Amino acid sequence: MLDENNQEEIFVDCDKTGVIYHNWQEDKIKTLELAQSYARLEDDDRATKCVECGTYLDFYYDLETGVHKLRRANFCKQPLCPMCIKRKQKKIYGQMSKIMNVLSDDYAFVFLTLTQKNVSGEDLADEIDNLMNGWKRLVNRN
Ligand SMILES: [Zn+2]
């Protein structure tokens, strides 16, 4: 779609009030830098995929609401691609939000980070058992 200056319109990921959720241009620039790195490593297949990532976007357009919804695209799905990482992150966030909204009626959430010194492989099972038993004692106390 062309704008009033006859240039390709740049879509912005924003809500109806104009609040921008994400600047995809910054991620595309990082993806192109990743492509240069792949090219330096002579991995032309990955470099090409990164260069072409997100260059084709096909949207549904709701005439009544003016909302665009992505229908098809050519994302590269490379594990290190900043654009694909951000898309995957948003997808997982949306899925987790739905799950947490349903569960929040019956459960409270706790953010917990457990750390432990590294142990040898032969001691790992016992170490995990000790951690789990300690966690169970802590939960049952409260
Ligand atoms: Zn990508």
Side-chain angles (χ1 to χ4, degrees):
M1 193 179 303
L2 300 178
D3 65 11
E4 65 274 2
N5 297 323
N6 213 24
Q7 294 182 332
E8 284 290 328
E9 181 181 354
I10 297 173
F11 288 112
V12 178
D13 190 3
C14 64
D15 65 11
K16 292 175 185 171
T17 64
V19 174
I20 296 175
Y21 288 121
H22 190 74
N23 186 341
W24 293 101
Q25 286 180 301
E26 289 176 8
D27 286 333
K28 182 59 186 180
I29 290 169
K30 291 176 188 170
T31 300
L32 292 174
E33 291 171 358
L34 177 64
Q36 291 173 342
S37 296
Y38 281 133
R40 279 194 301 273
L41 296 171
E42 299 179 1
D43 190 341
D44 294 336
D45 184 47
R46 286 190 176 143
T48 301
K49 285 180 180 174
C50 285
V51 167
E52 294 176 352
C53 182
T55 55
Y56 171 78
L57 303 171
D58 184 6
F59 290 90
Y60 285 115
Y61 180 69
D62 188 326
L63 292 172
E64 292 181 18
T65 63
V67 172
H68 291 80
K69 186 168 183 179
L70 188 60
R71 180 170 55 181
R72 262 181 274 163
N74 65 338
F75 294 106
C76 69
K77 299 176 184 165
Q78 295 293 312
L80 299 177
C81 173
M83 286 186 31
C84 292
I85 288 171
K86 186 60 72 175
R87 284 180 43 78
K88 189 172 184 178
Q89 182 183 39
K90 284 178 174 279
K91 181 180 176 184
I92 291 171
Y93 174 81
Q95 292 170 337
M96 287 301 299
S97 292
K98 287 179 185 173
I99 292 169
M100 292 178 79
N101 285 340
V102 170
L103 293 177
S104 65
D105 293 339
D106 299 323
Y107 296 95
F109 297 100
V110 176
F111 181 78
L112 174 68
T113 303
L114 298 175
T115 57
Q116 189 72 14
K117 287 184 180 176
N118 288 340
V119 295
S120 64
E122 59 200 37
D123 297 332
L124 185 59
D126 288 340
E127 193 66 28
I128 291 172
D129 283 343
N130 289 337
L131 273 174
M132 294 307 293
N133 288 333
W135 170 245
K136 287 175 188 171
R137 281 194 303 273
L138 183 66
V139 169
N140 290 332
R141 191 170 26 168
N142 295 327

